Amino acid sequence: MKAIIIGSNSFYGSHFTKLLLDKKFRLIGISRSKIKKRYQLPFDKNSKNFRFFKLDLNTDLLKIIKLVKKFKPNYIINFSSQSMVHESWKNPEDWFLTNSYSIPSFYGYLNKIENKFRLVHISTPEVYGNTKGVVLEDENFNPTTPYAISRVVADYFLKNLHKEFGFDFVATRAANIYGEFQDLYRIIPKTIYSILNKKKLFLHGGGGSVRSFIHIKDVCDATYKIMVKKNNSGEFYHISSNKYISIKNLIKLICKIYSYNFNKLVINSKDRIGKDKFYKLNSSKVKKIRWKATISLENGIKKTGNWLIKNNKKFKKKELTYLHKK
């Protein structure tokens, strides 16, 4: 089997690349940045079944389409997006360019290709906004940030491509993903790194936001089962655990695991603008295809911590902060 992974450098994308390589897929990986160093990647970038191309959907769209036509994959999995929520307020035009223009344009071109393949579209629960209860996949959208608004367009466009042309796709919306090889500016690795290096951690808005955290391995296992399932074209799937925790209690849990004083770690700060307080995803649909989360939050934190401890001296200060790329 052959697949093209758009965003193979990303956290989710790189782990899914590893999963497919383990299953003996022939892969093309595409990202706009040069391929990461080995300690930042879960897969072997020198694998004989993997080829990497540094291409950007915003500027190299036609080159990517040409590559698709030549390679003739069975699957195309798109992990790419401008994805930081808070920072989308600063330069919203960049988020709309990538998420609302380039990605839908990419899908429009794919719809015109004659050879058959399946697209796997990675969406986000941010499109629902701040929810009052548990939501299903057909919940009305209520986006509250430029990032969330920008992600709505591709979701709607795919639904219409499927309705009018029978375009074959499936899509996922996963809860808060974490695990080994995640960027250090994300809350779980950042907390562990701060403890290991005795640095302070800003707790935005008192840490009252509630989230479900799910380990990357569980998410990739679900994504693969969704990808290869028959007779589900045009379907969206939630991937989430049924356990929820506030950010404050999450940090307290990490402090407990590493025997660190919570009050010495955190500095309270004002909350981020437009931040959703809470959303809960009903994942009963994906569970019908024999999937369930298998890694507990505590064990997942320990796995992440082991990776951080092993590579602690390799990380640089700039990796602790999100750096925006146009």
Side-chain angles (χ1 to χ4, degrees):
M1 301 295 282
K2 298 190 292 184
I4 293 177
I5 295 182
I6 314 293
S8 59
N9 265 349
S10 68
F11 172 54
Y12 192 169
S14 63
H15 275 272
F16 200 70
T17 297
K18 182 182 187 306
L19 184 150
L20 294 189
L21 286 174
D22 289 345
K23 293 182 180 293
K24 309 304 181 184
F25 272 67
R26 288 175 57 201
L27 297 182
I28 284 179
I30 295 173
S31 283
R32 64 176 181 163
S33 302
K34 64 181 182 180
I35 198 161
K36 291 182 176 180
K37 295 179 181 178
R38 186 65 187 92
Y39 74 92
Q40 298 169 309
L41 283 177
F43 67 91
D44 179 8
K45 62 184 179 181
N46 296 316
S47 167
K48 65 180 182 179
N49 287 330
F50 179 77
R51 292 179 64 197
F52 178 77
F53 293 85
K54 184 178 177 296
L55 297 169
D56 188 335
L57 273 178
N58 290 328
T59 57
D60 302 309
L61 181 54
L62 294 181
K63 290 180 181 179
I64 294 173
I65 293 298
K66 186 176 180 179
L67 198 58
V68 171
K69 290 179 178 179
K70 182 178 180 180
F71 189 60
K72 296 182 179 179
N74 303 98
Y75 300 98
I76 298 172
I77 308 98
N78 182 26
F79 295 93
S80 69
S81 74
Q82 288 278 13
S83 60
M84 290 298 288
V85 178
H86 176 67
E87 284 74 7
S88 69
W89 290 101
K90 300 175 183 177
N91 302 100
E93 65 277 9
D94 295 336
W95 272 252
F96 290 119
L97 173 62
T98 300
N99 301 342
S100 302
Y101 179 76
S102 295
I103 291 175
S105 297
F106 177 48
Y107 294 163
Y109 277 107
L110 290 181
N111 183 51
K112 298 175 183 178
I113 295 177
E114 292 184 1
N115 55 288
K116 300 299 180 183
F117 55 85
R118 163 165 281 192
L119 171 74
V120 181
H121 169 66
I122 308 302
S123 184
T124 172
E126 295 280 345
V127 295
Y128 301 127
N130 190 40
T131 65
K132 294 182 179 179
V134 179
V135 297
L136 294 167
E137 285 85 352
D138 59 357
E139 180 78 9
N140 289 332
F141 293 162
N142 184 31
T144 56
T145 64
Y147 165 69
I149 295 168
S150 74
R151 295 303 304 272
V152 167
V153 178
D155 288 17
Y156 273 131
F157 187 46
L158 279 175
K159 288 182 179 181
N160 281 280
L161 286 177
H162 176 72
K163 178 182 177 182
E164 301 298 338
F165 302 99
F167 184 70
D168 185 14
F169 85 93
V170 287
T172 68
R173 296 189 184 113
N176 287 56
I177 310 172
Y178 75 97
E180 307 91 293
F181 301 95
Q182 190 172 31
D183 290 318
L184 294 191
Y185 49 78
R186 299 295 188 178
I187 187 61
I188 289 179
K190 188 171 187 176
T191 301
I192 299 171
Y193 181 87
S194 298
I195 290 171
L196 293 176
N197 295 280
K198 294 181 170 54
K199 295 181 178 293
K200 291 291 186 178
L201 180 75
F202 286 100
L203 184 60
H204 299 285
S209 299
V210 174
R211 296 288 186 267
S212 169
F213 288 86
I214 183 165
H215 191 270
I216 184 62
K217 183 181 183 301
D218 284 331
V219 177
C220 286
D221 288 344
T223 304
Y224 181 76
K225 289 187 174 184
I226 292 165
M227 181 179 84
V228 300
K229 187 182 185 303
K230 306 295 184 183
N231 303 316
N232 66 339
S233 185
E235 296 289 333
F236 283 75
Y237 290 84
H238 288 162
I239 306 172
S240 177
S241 73
N242 58 2
K243 296 181 179 180
Y244 303 91
I245 189 170
S246 70
I247 301 301
K248 182 176 182 178
N249 286 336
L250 171 70
I251 296 171
K252 284 186 174 181
L253 173 62
I254 296 172
C255 286
K256 180 180 178 181
I257 290 172
Y258 292 97
S259 302
Y260 201 83
N261 189 310
F262 172 82
N263 293 321
K264 288 184 178 180
L265 175 68
V266 301
I267 299 175
N268 286 306
S269 63
K270 66 179 182 179
D271 212 350
R272 294 172 173 174
I273 184 171
K275 185 177 182 181
D276 297 327
K277 294 295 181 184
F278 154 138
Y279 48 72
K280 294 184 177 180
L281 306 178
N282 183 313
S283 295
S284 59
K285 188 174 180 178
V286 72
K287 290 176 182 177
K288 291 178 182 177
I289 56 176
R290 298 183 179 181
W291 173 87
K292 66 176 181 179
T294 60
I295 299 174
S296 70
L297 179 57
E298 186 167 339
N299 285 339
I301 289 169
K302 290 177 181 178
K303 286 176 177 287
T304 308
N306 289 340
W307 166 70
L308 284 162
I309 291 167
K310 180 180 178 181
N311 296 285
N312 189 27
K313 293 182 179 179
K314 297 177 183 177
F315 296 116
K316 300 173 184 177
K317 289 183 179 180
K318 65 179 182 180
E319 294 175 2
L320 289 170
T321 305
Y322 169 75
L323 298 175
H324 177 57
K325 301 175 187 175
K326 287 189 175 287

